Amino acid sequence: MYADDETVRTILRESGDTWAVVGLSANEDRAAFGVARVLQRFGKRVVPVHPKAETVHGERGYATLADIPFPVDVVDVFVNSRLAGPVADEAVTIGAKAVWFQLGVIDPDAYARTRAAGLAMVMDRCPAIEIPRLS
């Protein structure tokens, strides 16, 4: 409902290879950890964004999107739905090209704002599932 296969394919193939993963920590039991590894296997640079700013999968972490000192192409969001809207707004502010809300992360108002700002957006889907399916 919040993204067709063509939008997903465009984000995966054309939006760029630097993905900030918000909510990614060194906790191997969290879904973000495994999804980030899949993104790396498919050639994406994964930038961890977490209050602890931990290094994960060999990439230095940052506490916020605004702290990242280089351009980010896609912001992949692994936070609770009630916290996701502000992350999408920050993605717009930093000039990201796309926002991806993970499975179970749903905020229709954030989706509308992000799309109105001109960014591609996917909501309630997982790139680790979509990359093999649509590549």
Side-chain angles (χ1 to χ4, degrees):
M1 175 174 170
Y2 288 103
D4 57 27
D5 283 351
E6 192 55 39
T7 300
V8 170
R9 196 175 282 114
T10 298
I11 291 172
L12 293 173
R13 293 182 181 170
E14 301 172 22
S15 291
D17 291 330
T18 301
W19 286 51
V21 181
V22 179
L24 175 58
S25 71
N27 183 344
E28 296 180 21
D29 294 330
R30 304 290 299 191
F33 190 89
V35 170
R37 177 63 78 201
V38 171
L39 288 168
Q40 283 184 323
R41 277 198 302 262
F42 281 89
K44 307 300 182 188
R45 178 181 184 190
V46 172
V47 182
V49 179
H50 189 279
K52 294 180 183 177
E54 299 172 307
T55 296
V56 183
H57 300 311
E59 289 286 346
R60 177 182 172 199
Y62 297 90
T64 69
L65 289 171
D67 292 337
I68 300 172
F70 47 83
V72 168
D73 300 311
V74 180
V75 175
D76 188 5
V77 182
F78 275 94
V79 299
N80 186 289
S81 294
R82 73 179 193 288
L83 304 173
V87 175
D89 296 337
E90 191 175 2
V92 171
T93 299
I94 68 163
K97 298 174 189 166
V99 175
W100 192 300
F101 280 10
Q102 283 293 326
L103 288 172
V105 180
I106 300 168
D107 183 334
D109 293 335
Y111 181 87
R113 287 193 312 273
T114 303
R115 295 291 298 132
L119 280 69
M121 185 161 180
V122 172
M123 187 161 59
D124 194 28
R125 288 174 87 166
C126 179
I129 295 169
E130 302 300 336
I131 287 175
R133 188 175 78 81
L134 296 174
S135 291

